[in-house]
Amino acid sequence: MRTQVGIVGAGPAGLLLSHLLHLHGISSVILENRCRHYVEERIRAGVLEQGTVDLLNDTGLGERMRREGLVHHGIELSFSRRRHRIDLSELTGGKAITVYGQHEVVKDLIAARLAAGGEILFEVADVAVHDLETDRPRITFSQDGKPQELVCDFIAGCDGFHGVCRPSIPEGVLTTYERVYPFGWLGILAHVAPSSEELIYAHHERGFALHSMRSHEITRLYVQCDPHDDIKNWPDERIWQELHLRLENDTNWKLAEGPVMQKGITPMRSFVVEPMQYGRLFLAGDAAHIVPPTGAKGMNLAVADVRLLSRALDAFYVRGNRELLAAYSATCLRRIWKAQRFSWWMTSMLHRFDHHSPFEQRVQLAELDYVTGSRAAATSLAENYVGLPFED
């Protein structure tokens, strides 16, 4: 098999990259070890920055998102039993965020690629990348028990944190930066209409909580917990009790309950590797960086990565320009580290740390009071939350 760009991974990064390359007239093949149903139903976060929404609309992917997505012009911060609204649109010149599940974006991308005749090979096994320092890198894999080989000009490693591409880079090339947080998020999907029109980020002495949503009928909720806890220790009754305690305030607002459709515990970490490229291999998305979900940056960073990579590849094929490819990692990392800073800041401001002294706990509250009381501080939060401008 032969193509211009071999893409490992059919998550949002790999699928969107293939779509953008197609618009530039560049051929690609996507290899994915899971089945299509698993990829399309894998539930992940769903807060899209303004730039992500604009890119999906501009490239013909936004029809269902515009119809079903929930546009939010603000978020709420809750602490000391009071709620404070951050008006995102007013503070950023009209920008907003859109709540639209990552799996819904994936469904739209798969449909678009297949409609355009794109090649997505699901359920492949034994994927390995070779000859990364040559001008003809290869991807070997097996499908239906038969060995296969894909020869290409470039390889895009969009295969996530546990993928094969990053470990294929020789030892000593990459520098890893990582922080593991001493807590996780217990998340549930509940079949009940959201109790708030906007997201609520709650700081509480018992730990962080988040009220989010997936649709007009489905609510997404989280509580801070021990990352090593057993989900069996969290029956539905206990989860709802904690959510009521952490989210409710001195107004008459009440959290509505409904049947729990799904629940699980997700550990939290910050992770970055530098550089994001080696020879003809380019990493994108979770293969190169992980952010705690507090800042809602994960998929948006992946979108920014592949937007830049598609433009760099277009410059190479159309004009023979290698400068954007050479600068890919450095350009991406400027945005990534800003997103890491924002996500770390939101996480440290809103979560309970067991090692925090009473002094540090009071500083947290003072930080929240400052952010919600200062236009300058609120603007900084809003600018980061709706998404910083793309870099080229």
Side-chain angles (χ1 to χ4, degrees):
M1 299 175 64
R2 180 76 174 87
T3 192
Q4 289 174 295
V5 182
I7 301 173
V8 184
L15 290 164
L16 181 57
L17 175 61
S18 182
H19 176 73
L20 296 175
L21 293 175
H22 167 71
L23 297 180
H24 289 301
I26 300 169
S27 67
S28 66
V29 174
I30 304 173
L31 306 177
E32 170 58 48
N33 66 349
R34 301 282 193 169
C35 68
R36 178 178 176 179
H37 176 77
Y38 177 90
V39 171
E40 290 187 333
E41 298 302 324
R42 181 170 43 190
I43 303 296
R44 294 289 187 272
V47 175
L48 307 184
E49 294 177 351
Q50 183 70 63
T52 298
V53 170
D54 292 343
L55 180 64
L56 295 177
N57 282 325
D58 292 345
T59 56
L61 296 167
E63 180 181 352
R64 195 162 69 94
M65 175 187 65
R66 291 192 299 273
R67 187 171 65 248
E68 301 178 12
L70 306 177
V71 179
H72 289 190
H73 298 279
I75 61 171
E76 296 203 59
L77 299 182
S78 174
F79 61 97
S80 302
R81 296 192 60 82
R82 292 176 293 131
R83 294 241 295 269
H84 308 262
R85 186 172 187 266
I86 304 294
D87 192 327
L88 300 175
S89 296
E90 195 272 332
L91 293 167
T92 61
K95 295 181 181 179
I97 53 114
T98 298
V99 175
Y100 188 63
Q102 177 174 308
H103 63 293
E104 304 295 352
V105 175
V106 166
K107 289 176 186 177
D108 296 341
L109 284 164
I110 289 176
R113 292 306 303 122
L114 295 180
E119 290 190 80
I120 310 173
L121 304 183
F122 292 102
E123 298 184 82
V124 302
D126 307 315
V127 177
V129 296
H130 312 271
D131 304 333
L132 302 177
E133 295 184 89
T134 74
D135 60 1
R136 287 294 182 270
R138 300 178 295 120
I139 308 174
T140 57
F141 60 99
S142 61
Q143 190 172 39
D144 300 325
K146 299 178 181 179
Q148 304 280 350
E149 180 178 83
L150 176 65
V151 180
C152 40
D153 299 330
F154 300 94
I155 297 175
C158 304
D159 50 346
F161 182 79
H162 298 289
V164 301
C165 288
R166 189 181 68 250
S168 300
I169 297 175
E171 187 175 352
V173 172
L174 299 178
T175 301
T176 299
Y177 302 89
E178 186 171 19
R179 177 173 184 176
V180 177
Y181 294 87
F183 41 73
W185 279 12
L186 188 156
I188 66 169
L189 276 178
H191 198 282
V192 61
S195 303
S196 170
E197 294 183 356
E198 297 177 335
L199 278 70
I200 306 170
Y201 287 80
H203 172 280
H204 194 273
E205 60 184 12
R206 296 180 66 87
F208 169 77
L210 172 63
H211 175 285
S212 183
M213 61 284 293
R214 287 294 172 266
S215 70
H216 292 292
E217 296 82 29
I218 304 296
T219 302
R220 186 69 159 157
L221 298 146
Y222 299 92
V223 292
Q224 176 185 342
C225 67
D226 184 333
H228 307 295
D229 206 345
D230 191 331
I231 194 65
K232 295 178 182 177
N233 295 329
W234 287 87
D236 295 355
E237 296 79 7
R238 182 186 176 193
I239 295 171
W240 287 115
Q241 181 183 29
E242 284 297 324
L243 286 165
H244 282 290
L245 287 170
R246 301 183 193 191
L247 287 168
E248 292 181 358
N249 51 51
D250 289 334
T251 69
N252 292 324
W253 181 87
K254 292 293 182 183
L255 176 67
E257 296 187 20
V260 175
M261 305 159 54
Q262 182 187 90
K263 59 183 173 181
I265 295 175
T266 302
M268 295 181 65
R269 63 152 48 93
S270 297
F271 173 85
V272 182
V273 293
E274 297 184 8
M276 293 169 55
Q277 59 195 93
Y278 174 75
R280 291 289 182 105
L281 171 65
F282 294 83
L283 303 177
D286 287 359
H289 44 76
I290 301 286
V291 291
T294 326
K297 294 294 162 220
M299 183 172 67
N300 294 293
L301 281 179
V303 168
D305 290 346
V306 298
R307 174 188 175 275
L308 186 66
L309 183 55
S310 68
R311 290 177 172 227
L313 289 166
D314 179 58
F316 172 83
Y317 282 113
V318 173
R319 302 189 299 277
N321 185 329
R322 298 172 181 263
E323 292 180 4
L324 291 180
L325 285 173
Y328 167 75
S329 179
T331 307
C332 285
L333 285 166
R334 282 197 297 271
R335 184 184 191 88
I336 290 162
W337 278 113
K338 290 172 185 174
Q340 289 285 3
R341 181 210 69 83
F342 178 67
S343 299
W344 167 85
W345 175 72
M346 288 279 285
T347 301
S348 62
M349 179 173 63
L350 289 163
H351 289 74
R352 177 180 174 83
F353 290 78
D354 290 338
H355 65 271
H356 272 184
S357 67
F359 174 87
E360 291 167 311
Q361 293 171 20
R362 297 295 293 181
V363 168
Q364 269 187 318
L365 291 172
E367 179 79 1
L368 285 160
D369 195 29
Y370 173 63
V371 169
T372 55
S374 163
R375 183 178 177 85
T379 300
S380 176
L381 187 156
E383 286 179 346
N384 282 271
Y385 199 86
V386 301
L388 298 173
F390 286 129
E391 286 193 64
D392 289 317

